[in-house]
Amino acid sequence: MPDADELPHLSVIIPAYNSESSIARTVRSVLAQASGEIEVLVVDDGSDVDPSSVLAQYIATGRCRVLRQANLGASVARNHGFQVARAALVMFVDADDELVDGSLIPFLRSAQESRADVTISDFYLSDGDSMQLVPAVNSEEKDFGESARIVLQRLTLARIGFGGKANIGLLGAPWAKIYQKDFLVRAFGRDELFTPGVLRGQDVLFNTEVFGKAQAVHYFRQASYVYSVNSDSASHSVAVDFVSRVTTLGRAVEGLILRHGWTSLMPALAKMTVTLLEEAMQRRGRALKIADVRQLLQREMFRHAVRGSQLRDFSLVGRVKLLAYRAGSIPTYVLMKSLVLVRRAGR
């Protein structure tokens, strides 16, 4: 057991809700790689079953703590963990994901040596038996200063990377990153990194502000994280109030942009919003009707996004759809084609 007076170098914060089937595997993937320099804070968000029982062997080492709260959401859970974190560096991990074996100490050392406000890594996308390596940034550079802020923000919002090229990395996610705690305190204060009222995409809102304020960002060009594509998870489930939630997100991001004068990010926000429009259609699956598409396009947020998007930010297929959406009276055959594509994606 580590000395109680010895502060850990890294605090790993894991929000958990009804994750008893996966949480032990997640914690094991962290603690198996490091000694007393790592602490794990599992923040239980009002689960039906206290995860302490399945984590007993890790709690006994003194390197893992379980903090319990009412069911207030992942944002509040992450904020709760941050408030009690003791280390100078902070990392967020989701309760159904894992760290890559042997990656944590090199990742931690890279963050310590660079002294960057944020250190980001690549990750693996896991879907059943399939594992895909995903680069976080489409750049060979390892260190980014203030001049790269807007590109990192655009990548966060719309996956538009360096050279204006598309990038599949999920830079908006809070995981696969190590943050300097002092930097986060200066940027956000101690109480609220993640906005509780934003129930969809609060991590994108958070990292847009992070990259807008960071003086230095370091790229650890190795994979440290395994992101599990789980159809049962909250992020992939069909939410009846999806449009309402993304509307709240859009307003929050727009408010952040205007508050800081980052108006050059407005086209990236528009592209993100058009992507959410597509997702809103996909989530309706086979139940989607042409009338639904027209209704979505009439919503103020989506209408403004369609007008404010830049064609160059989209693929060829995306440009065709965007031009059709802008036409106002969209030909029925275009909408039918959209329905076919959406339904295929929803299978």
Side-chain angles (χ1 to χ4, degrees), residues 2-3 14 61 66 70-71 105 149 155 163 173 175 195 206-207 223 232 235-236 254 276 318 320:
D3 191 321
I14 307 176
T61 67
V66 174
N71 183 215
I105 293 303
R149 281 178 173 175
L155 213 168
W175 39 258
T195 307
F206 166 67
N207 276 315
D232 295 327
S235 61
H236 294 89
E254 182 178 23
L276 293 172
V320 171

Side-chain angles (χ1 to χ4, degrees), residues 275-304:
T275 302
L276 293 172
L277 166 66
E278 295 282 325
E279 185 174 346
M281 290 190 285
Q282 288 178 12
R283 282 171 176 260
R284 301 198 182 183
R286 294 182 177 275
L288 182 69
K289 297 180 174 58
I290 291 177
D292 298 327
V293 179
R294 292 189 186 279
Q295 185 180 52
L296 286 169
L297 288 170
Q298 288 171 2
R299 286 181 170 268
E300 182 180 7
M301 181 182 76
F302 294 137
R303 188 173 68 251
H304 286 175

Side-chain angles (χ1 to χ4, degrees), residues 12 22 59 75 104 110 114 133 143 169 176 187 189 193-195 198 200 218 248-249 263 269 282 284 290 296 303:
V12 179
S22 62
I59 295 171
S75 290
L104 182 55
S110 182
S114 71
L133 176 63
D143 294 287
L193 306 181
F194 298 89
T195 307
V198 179
R200 171 78 187 189
H218 181 64
T248 300
L249 170 63
T263 52
L269 171 58
Q282 288 178 12
R284 301 198 182 183
I290 291 177
L296 286 169
R303 188 173 68 251

Side-chain angles (χ1 to χ4, degrees), residues 66-286:
V66 174
L67 311 172
R68 301 208 75 193
Q69 65 177 38
N71 183 215
L72 300 171
S75 290
V76 176
R78 290 189 181 115
N79 292 340
H80 186 176
F82 181 73
Q83 289 159 14
V84 302
R86 298 183 299 152
L89 296 167
V90 174
M91 184 180 192
F92 297 98
V93 174
D94 285 351
D96 54 356
D97 296 338
E98 300 177 59
L99 299 189
V100 175
D101 288 344
S103 69
L104 182 55
I105 293 303
F107 191 18
L108 174 59
R109 295 288 178 263
S110 182
Q112 290 174 318
E113 291 169 5
S114 71
R115 298 185 179 181
D117 297 319
V118 190
T119 301
I120 59 181
S121 81
D122 297 334
F123 64 95
Y124 286 104
L125 190 67
S126 174
D127 188 358
D129 296 330
S130 170
M131 289 275 283
Q132 176 188 1
L133 176 63
V134 180
V137 180
N138 64 325
S139 173
E140 296 299 315
E141 298 295 324
K142 292 185 178 180
D143 294 287
F144 306 104
E146 293 182 48
S147 62
R149 281 178 173 175
I150 188 171
V151 182
L152 295 173
Q153 288 178 303
R154 283 169 60 84
L155 213 168
T156 299
L157 289 171
R159 299 191 189 181
I160 305 166
F162 288 86
K165 296 180 180 179
N167 191 73
I168 60 174
L170 296 172
L171 208 58
W175 39 258
K177 298 172 182 65
I178 293 178
Y179 303 88
Q180 290 279 354
K181 186 178 181 183
D182 284 350
F183 160 68
L184 292 179
V185 170
R186 292 194 306 273
F188 296 90
R190 293 185 177 274
D191 296 329
E192 194 171 284
L193 306 181
F194 298 89
T195 307
V198 179
L199 301 179
R200 171 78 187 189
Q202 65 273 22
D203 43 3
V204 171
L205 179 65
F206 166 67
N207 276 315
T208 299
E209 188 162 6
V210 162
F211 290 119
K213 293 182 176 179
Q215 299 293 319
V217 175
H218 181 64
Y219 182 17
F220 176 68
R221 294 175 58 226
Q222 297 179 39
S224 72
Y225 199 89
V226 180
Y227 173 63
S228 177
V229 179
N230 181 356
S231 60
D232 295 327
S233 70
S235 61
H236 294 89
S237 62
V238 177
V240 295
D241 56 350
F242 175 78
V243 172
S244 173
R245 291 186 179 193
V246 299
T247 299
T248 300
L249 170 63
R251 288 171 178 165
V253 174
E254 182 178 23
L256 175 69
I257 288 172
L258 296 177
R259 189 162 63 250
H260 292 289
W262 296 333
T263 52
S264 56
L265 291 177
M266 293 302 286
L269 171 58
K271 198 228 174 182
M272 181 192 80
T273 306
V274 172
T275 302
L276 293 172
L277 166 66
E278 295 282 325
E279 185 174 346
M281 290 190 285
Q282 288 178 12
R283 282 171 176 260
R284 301 198 182 183
R286 294 182 177 275

